[in-house]
Amino acid sequence: MTRAPGARAPLISRRAALLAALGGAGAVGACARLPRDGEVRQSDVVVAEGDSLVQSAAGPEVGASPKEIVEGFLRACAAGYSDGFATARSFLTKAAADSWRPQEIVMVYTGSESPVVEQAGEGAVDLRTRLIGSLDGAGILTPRDDEDHAVSYSLTADSTGQWRIAALPDGILLPEPVFGQEFSAYLLHFLSLDRERAVPELRWAALRTAAPALMRLLLGGPSDWLAPGADTLVPPGLRLLGGLDAPLPADGAVTVSVSSEAAALDPTGRALLVAQIERTLTQVAGIHSVSVRALGDGEDPRDADAGTALGGAADLDAAPGASGQAIGMSGGNVVRGLSTARETLATSRALGTTSARWPDVGADGTIVALAGRSMLLLAPGRSVASVIHSVDDESAGQTAGGDQAGGDQAGDGDQADGGDQAGAGQSGGGMTPPVIDRHGWTWTAARGEIVVLNRAGLRADLAAEWLVGSRVLALDVSAESERLVVRRLVDGETADRVEAAVIVRDARGLPQRLGPPLTVPGAGGTRALAWSDPVAVAVLADGGAGAPDVKQIQVGGTAATIPGLAGAVELTANRTDGLVLLTDSAGQIWHRNDGTWRVAATDLQDVGYCLA
């Protein structure tokens, strides 16, 4: 596995995230948009130097009708990030202007047509539009498909007879192109429960105030969706005191001042807190390095010598190694590398069969693979693989209970026979391709049910109430091993769903339950799926034109579509930087380079990437 992106490597486009192409070898030329149908249209917002976007709107005209006042107010809201919503407030009565909170919620409507504004009576105006998303105060973007969203405005005439808006809901309406110009997606960095890895969560912030907004969101902790399986070293009551005021220092070196609660952390806790802050803030344009200090009561943030320096950041990157190269099967052997210069990791003799499929390799060198209805495990230093699970094995109900995660190595048990081959995503009598997480647990789905095994073949008793009454068709584990993406079919429904959930573990890494599901919109009906970067899932979907499309869909963000490859039947991705591989019906492996799909290998099958 390639090394996880570091603190100074931005993971999300800093600006125009809805309109820009996603980076990475797997997403060249893709158009990022909210995960829905329809095209994204460019706006006519004026772009100034650097990342500064300037847009202006006129104030209310003398004698304007209630309908014209509301239409002018909408235009002023679209320009509000340039003037702090001062012009927009000029369309309101003083009382309404004082109480209105424009950034409480941002409702995004399609840019293909203007809202319908109609007078509904004296002093009353109604608006209707198609909403495609909403952004709340916590920076969480929720895709929506509300074709007839309605908003009502109440107006009154002032002492000079001019109409002004007296009652309106908090928040603003923005057309999708303007939203894409004014907002960008960023990653908040929380921690795994063992505090060994960063667990990212995608949030959105306005470009002009991104740095302080991201700090506020980070201090607020993970969302309800992520919180059951993520940690943070932000102490209760910690406040931002300074260091992120515009303009940022010319050298990009920022000193963030926080309140005294941070000084009470031990050295390990301080390093983890600094890592969270550094990784989050260095995504912002103009910030290249971050140092953090804790100020006591009465200390001035403007005093460069004040406070207690919290020191350097902890290293939360994945362990480096050769696992960044793809693995697969060739001539019955498990090999690493797409080129002809490959490393053999396990021979067919060691596996006990020439028909093993879908291998995976753990961080300690443990190899698992499928053969017929069985899962094989070849432990480090052993010469013969063992069967650790079978879909027909009545003992499969045994659970790991209190056994340590990645427990005792499997002994030299029965050798696997050939039997039927298990295909990608196969359910019923077979298993889905196994994934070994960094804690040593192997994940698969058998007969529509998630199965999690340690090296001894003992099964974790995984609670997931939301999976009851459904059949799991495919799954994958995220780069840091703390989140799962699942494709499932719910009883009584014909369309499948794709959802992400956090993995809740005990102190030893034993998976105990899954957190609540979060829908990955636009991913249903796929042929294959995989995590393609820290917050995006790649899916192989029917493109409707003969060749399937590759979609990369951010969990909580945008979607990008890559032109597909005729005959593609399988997809895998490296979980870190967007790189995607496709396998066609002839068994050729393809990768995308310079906007074109090119053959990478012709004699491999069941290709995948390992978790470090």
Side-chain angles (χ1 to χ4, degrees):
M1 178 66 67
T2 53
R3 191 172 179 85
R8 294 176 178 82
L11 298 174
I12 305 295
S13 172
R14 287 192 177 114
R15 48 165 306 180
L18 285 174
L19 306 174
L22 287 180
V28 176
C31 180
R33 56 185 175 86
L34 286 170
R36 63 178 181 86
D37 294 330
E39 296 300 321
V40 175
R41 289 170 171 77
Q42 298 285 346
S43 80
D44 56 359
V45 175
V46 177
V47 180
E49 295 182 3
D51 283 332
S52 177
L53 307 176
V54 177
Q55 190 176 23
S56 62
E61 295 184 0
V62 175
S65 68
K67 178 176 179 291
E68 291 169 334
I69 289 293
V70 170
E71 290 172 337
F73 172 71
L74 294 176
R75 291 190 292 270
C77 285
Y81 291 93
S82 296
D83 67 0
F85 297 96
T87 302
R89 292 183 193 277
S90 69
F91 288 85
L92 312 180
T93 65
K94 184 179 186 308
D98 290 342
S99 62
W100 178 55
R101 295 179 295 175
Q103 299 188 70
E104 181 73 10
I105 184 169
V106 178
M107 293 170 288
V108 186
Y109 63 87
T110 175
S112 61
E113 56 188 62
S114 299
V116 176
V117 181
E118 297 177 330
Q119 188 136 353
E122 186 176 7
V125 173
D126 291 341
L127 175 150
R128 296 193 317 277
T129 190
R130 180 189 177 193
L131 280 192
I132 58 174
S134 59
L135 180 68
D136 65 18
I140 297 173
L141 180 66
T142 302
R144 299 174 61 171
D145 189 14
D146 186 350
E147 293 189 359
D148 195 25
H149 179 76
V151 181
S152 295
Y153 299 90
S154 177
L155 292 87
T156 186
D158 63 16
S159 59
T160 64
Q162 303 301 311
W163 289 102
R164 294 293 182 266
I165 300 171
L168 74 166
D170 283 328
I172 60 173
L173 281 161
L174 282 185
E176 184 178 22
V178 175
F179 179 83
Q181 294 284 2
E182 296 291 353
F183 284 85
S184 186
Y186 302 88
L187 300 186
L188 300 185
H189 286 89
F190 300 108
L191 304 171
S192 58
L193 295 181
D194 63 4
R195 298 180 179 178
E196 292 292 327
R197 301 285 174 87
V199 180
E201 183 172 24
L202 190 145
R203 303 284 186 93
W204 293 77
L207 286 161
R208 288 178 178 79
T209 57
L214 291 175
M215 270 298 295
R216 175 181 61 82
L217 296 175
L218 182 67
L219 298 185
S223 68
D224 292 342
W225 170 76
L226 188 65
D231 196 5
T232 180
L233 261 292
V234 174
L238 189 69
R239 293 169 292 121
L240 173 66
L241 300 179
L244 297 178
D245 300 328
L248 296 170
D251 61 359
V254 170
T255 298
V256 177
S257 299
V258 296
S259 53
S260 60
E261 290 84 357
L265 294 171
D266 61 24
T268 299
R270 291 182 181 185
L272 289 168
L273 175 61
V274 172
Q276 288 185 252
I277 295 173
E278 179 186 73
R279 282 170 169 261
T280 298
L281 291 182
T282 49
Q283 299 169 91
V284 177
I287 298 181
H288 305 301
S289 64
V290 175
S291 57
V292 186
R293 61 176 179 168
L295 298 182
D297 292 342
E299 290 189 292
D300 189 346
R302 294 169 296 182
D303 183 356
D305 298 322
T308 301
L310 299 188
D315 182 6
L316 296 173
D317 285 342
S323 55
Q325 300 180 52
I327 64 166
M329 300 299 304
S330 178
N333 304 320
V334 180
V335 299
R336 173 182 285 135
L338 294 176
S339 68
T340 55
R342 297 173 185 150
E343 176 186 6
T344 299
L345 304 179
T347 64
S348 59
R349 180 179 180 84
L351 295 174
T353 177
T354 59
S355 61
R357 298 202 61 185
W358 300 110
D360 198 33
V361 183
D364 64 352
T366 296
I367 296 174
V368 295
L370 302 182
R373 298 175 181 271
S374 298
M375 182 181 295
L376 312 177
L377 183 141
L378 181 62
R382 298 295 180 95
S383 59
V384 180
S386 302
V387 175
I388 63 166
H389 185 75
S390 172
V391 294
D392 296 322
D393 186 356
E394 295 298 327
S395 66
Q398 286 186 296
T399 61
D403 290 352
Q404 185 173 358
D408 297 336
Q409 294 183 0
D412 293 338
D414 295 335
Q415 293 187 17
D417 56 9
D420 299 332
Q421 293 182 343
Q426 182 178 344
S427 57
M431 286 174 275
T432 62
V435 179
I436 305 177
D437 68 28
R438 69 179 176 90
H439 302 276
W441 290 90
T442 299
W443 296 73
T444 186
R447 292 180 173 173
E449 182 181 354
I450 293 178
V451 177
V452 190
L453 304 166
N454 70 4
R455 289 183 298 177
L458 295 179
R459 183 171 174 175
D461 187 10
L462 186 72
E465 296 82 359
W466 53 275
L467 288 177
V468 174
S470 62
R471 182 161 60 96
V472 175
L473 305 175
L475 59 80
D476 194 25
V477 180
S478 62
E480 82 294 334
S481 294
E482 309 307 323
R483 292 162 296 148
L484 191 72
V485 62
V486 173
R487 178 186 171 213
R488 65 178 176 129
L489 187 63
V490 179
D491 286 350
E493 296 184 3
T494 57
D496 58 293
R497 308 177 185 178
V498 175
E499 293 154 312
V502 68
I503 302 169
V504 183
R505 303 177 186 267
D506 69 8
R508 300 166 297 174
L510 169 68
Q512 295 182 310
R513 62 186 175 92
L514 298 180
L518 183 65
T519 298
V520 181
T526 65
R527 306 182 189 183
L529 61 78
W531 287 99
S532 57
D533 74 26
V535 293
V537 176
V539 300
L540 187 63
D542 185 2
D549 287 331
V550 176
K551 295 182 181 179
Q552 298 213 49
I553 307 172
Q554 295 172 336
V555 178
T558 63
T561 298
I562 306 166
L565 175 70
V569 294
E570 295 167 7
L571 171 149
T572 191
N574 69 358
R575 302 184 179 91
T576 58
D577 62 7
L579 186 146
V580 172
L581 299 179
L582 296 180
T583 302
D584 66 18
S585 55
Q588 299 181 110
I589 311 300
W590 297 74
H591 71 112
R592 193 166 173 84
N593 185 25
D594 295 331
T596 303
W597 289 104
R598 304 179 188 277
V599 174
T602 59
D603 58 345
L604 285 177
Q605 63 177 352
D606 307 337
V607 174
Y609 288 89
C610 307
L611 289 166

